[in-house]
Amino acid sequence: MTPGAERIRITRGRGGQVEATGPLDPLAASLLRRAGFLTFPTLSGQWVRLPFDMGGEWENEHASWAADMLTAARYPVTVDPTLRSAPRSGAPSQSRPTTPCPSVPAGRHR
């Protein structure tokens, strides 16, 4: 990104929702989706936000995760300081348990 480029902003809106605004190209939009953000069409473009009523800790965790992924991809990002969660390793916890992939018996793969 060039110095002075417009930043992606992750903020808490007037209604309490966590929103992402700014220049969202396909990669940035994909990273936000991976972090749990939803995209809705509007008359002026799109509205990108986290789901409502998931709890402040969940919202902070996912907003921080999104900011970390965007920063790693070299996007200029500004995050509302109230949305930053404590540093963790790995991705945020999922709302549903994950199942391990079945292993392939030895000699049975191609």
Side-chain angles (χ1 to χ4, degrees):
M1 290 285 160
T2 59
E6 188 178 354
R7 301 176 81 72
I8 296 173
R9 292 168 308 286
I10 301 175
T11 59
R12 189 170 299 279
R14 288 182 287 169
Q17 72 282 359
V18 177
E19 303 173 316
T21 57
L24 301 177
D25 63 20
L27 176 58
S30 176
L31 293 172
L32 288 166
R33 268 193 310 280
R34 176 76 177 127
F37 282 75
L38 307 171
T39 302
F40 299 94
T42 65
L43 293 174
S44 61
Q46 59 185 357
W47 184 27
V48 181
R49 65 165 174 83
L50 285 175
F52 293 133
D53 300 327
M54 297 302 286
E57 184 178 331
W58 187 93
E59 292 171 347
N60 292 355
E61 191 174 84
H62 285 259
S64 293
W65 186 31
D68 292 344
M69 286 192 293
L70 289 164
T71 300
R74 299 183 181 251
Y75 286 96
V77 181
T78 301
V79 182
D80 185 335
T82 64
L83 292 174
R84 278 290 185 184
S85 63
R88 295 181 42 160
S89 63
S93 59
Q94 301 295 320
S95 58
R96 61 176 189 227
T98 58
T99 56
C101 294
S103 61
V104 176
R108 301 282 316 240
H109 64 284
R110 295 183 178 190

